[in-house]
Amino acid sequence: MKGRTKIVVVVITVVLVIVVGLRLGLTVFSEGGRKDFLGRKRGVLDLTVVATKVKVGDIERYISLAGEMRGIEEAYAFPDVPGKIHKILVEEGSYVVKNQHLMYIDRSQVGFSYNLSPVRAPISGRVGNISVSEGQFVSQTTPVATVVNDSTMEVVLLLPETFVGRVRKGDKAIIEVTPYPQEKFIGYVYSTDIVIDRGTRTLKVKVKVANPYRKLISGMYCNVRMLVEKVSNVTYVPNTSIREVDGEEVVYILTKTNLENVREDNFYYVTKRRVISGISDGKFTAVLQGVSEGDIVVSLGAEYLKDGVIVRVIEEEVE
């Protein structure tokens, strides 16, 4: 009995192994061709990728430079005579015109009496800062107030030598400031130096921007994006579509198959194609040779692709 029991156990074990093996290796035949037990087409790489259509348009390349905002005109007001501040006539932020009296200086001394001497606004604009108080003694070299013409603001930038020649008077600049993260201010280059700083290898460039609503304030930090290169009517793809394989730039072109499967996936043939790229705007890259408008390229998931495989595509980007 014990021998028969052992035989039965062995037979059952063998049968289970055969069933499991058949289960793992089972294939079925259908109208779509030969498939595995999950319904996947044999020869299909078990990988999902994101695809994008090749488009035609303009690609612009910008560089970002940091700067500090200031009024197009800023000037200190100085007394004509030494003495004590007798009376301050204006407040910070108030608008003044050139030569308007800002305050009076009393230069009288014991035994001597003089008329009050006015401190005049050096330019028209807004009073940015009053640095003295009534009763304070000042000299002719004491800056008592600052007047800022902030109807137009200025940003001084240091342009790297590499881009000298690509930035000219009249070029547009996009200005961003932290207090208004959703707003972009448009300025224009209005002045460039003619000598490169030998220490920093940079060229001083000045950008001015209209400030009708006084949102921009002198001293405000800003980021300025300047256009340095542009190509028009060129095919372009996402930066992530271009890969380097064996020292060459390539993209993977997708062609839809007619394969059927139980999960109704979209299967595409993969074809590796060599390309020649141009400038990039940080998100898209111009392709000078190798693709045409309407081609479908892999934009995400190309790391493990090879020429001739079949992959699944679950999304097609339209941007």
Side-chain angles (χ1 to χ4, degrees), residues 48-282:
T48 300
V49 300
V50 177
T52 303
K53 285 186 179 181
V54 177
K55 295 188 176 182
V56 174
D58 299 340
I59 296 292
E60 297 179 336
R61 181 187 176 196
Y62 288 83
I63 60 169
S64 293
L65 301 173
E68 185 176 293
M69 198 72 63
R70 69 185 188 189
I72 196 69
E73 292 181 288
E74 293 188 8
Y76 290 112
F78 292 92
D80 293 328
V81 296
K84 291 183 179 181
I85 304 296
H86 175 73
K87 186 174 181 61
I88 298 175
L89 306 175
V90 295
E91 297 179 348
E92 293 177 342
S94 57
Y95 183 81
V96 296
V97 296
K98 186 176 181 179
N99 291 324
Q100 179 177 332
H101 293 181
L102 305 179
M103 59 188 72
Y104 289 114
I105 305 295
D106 184 1
R107 58 172 179 157
S108 298
Q109 299 177 5
V110 178
F112 297 93
S113 180
Y114 298 95
N115 292 330
L116 297 177
S117 175
V119 177
R120 296 177 175 85
I123 60 174
S124 296
R126 290 200 298 168
V127 178
N129 179 54
I130 298 175
S131 54
V132 295
S133 57
E134 292 180 359
Q136 179 179 339
F137 182 85
V138 294
S139 69
Q140 292 165 284
T141 59
T142 304
V144 296
T146 305
V147 181
V148 179
N149 177 3
D150 60 356
S151 61
T152 300
M153 302 298 287
E154 173 187 81
V155 185
V156 178
L157 303 169
L158 299 179
L159 180 70
E161 183 178 8
T162 306
F163 300 103
V164 172
R166 298 188 182 184
V167 175
R168 300 178 177 83
K169 289 183 181 180
D171 283 356
K172 183 175 73 172
I174 301 173
I175 301 169
E176 301 167 332
V177 293
T178 303
Y180 307 103
Q182 304 302 321
E183 192 167 353
K184 299 185 186 301
F185 300 87
I186 304 302
Y188 297 90
V189 176
Y190 81 97
S191 174
T192 60
D193 275 5
I194 59 173
V195 177
I196 291 177
D197 186 291
R198 290 179 172 81
T200 61
R201 309 309 305 175
T202 58
L203 186 73
K204 186 180 292 184
V205 174
K206 294 181 180 180
V207 172
K208 64 180 177 180
V209 52
N211 189 31
Y213 302 108
R214 303 302 195 273
K215 289 183 176 181
L216 303 175
I217 300 173
S218 183
M220 185 179 283
Y221 175 83
C222 62
N223 179 67
V224 182
R225 296 175 60 233
M226 304 190 70
L227 179 66
V228 294
E229 194 171 0
K230 178 179 178 179
V231 291
S232 301
N233 197 34
V234 66
T235 54
Y236 63 87
V237 298
N239 292 350
T240 52
S241 294
I242 300 179
R243 315 286 302 178
E244 185 172 328
V245 178
D246 298 327
E248 294 182 339
E249 290 183 319
V250 302
V251 298
Y252 290 100
I253 303 292
L254 297 176
T255 306
K256 193 167 186 179
T257 72
N258 59 359
L259 299 181
E260 297 178 2
N261 61 97
V262 296
R263 296 193 304 195
E264 298 183 354
D265 294 325
N266 293 318
F267 287 124
Y268 286 73
Y269 291 109
V270 175
T271 303
K272 183 176 70 175
R273 187 179 297 175
R274 181 174 177 269
V275 296
I276 298 177
S277 66
I279 68 170
S280 172
D281 64 4

Side-chain angles (χ1 to χ4, degrees), residues 289-313:
Q289 184 177 318
V291 296
S292 301
E293 183 179 10
D295 285 346
I296 301 176
V297 298
V298 175
S299 55
L300 291 175
E303 292 80 1
Y304 306 105
L305 295 184
K306 293 183 179 180
D307 192 33
V309 301
I310 300 173
V311 295
R312 184 186 304 107
V313 176

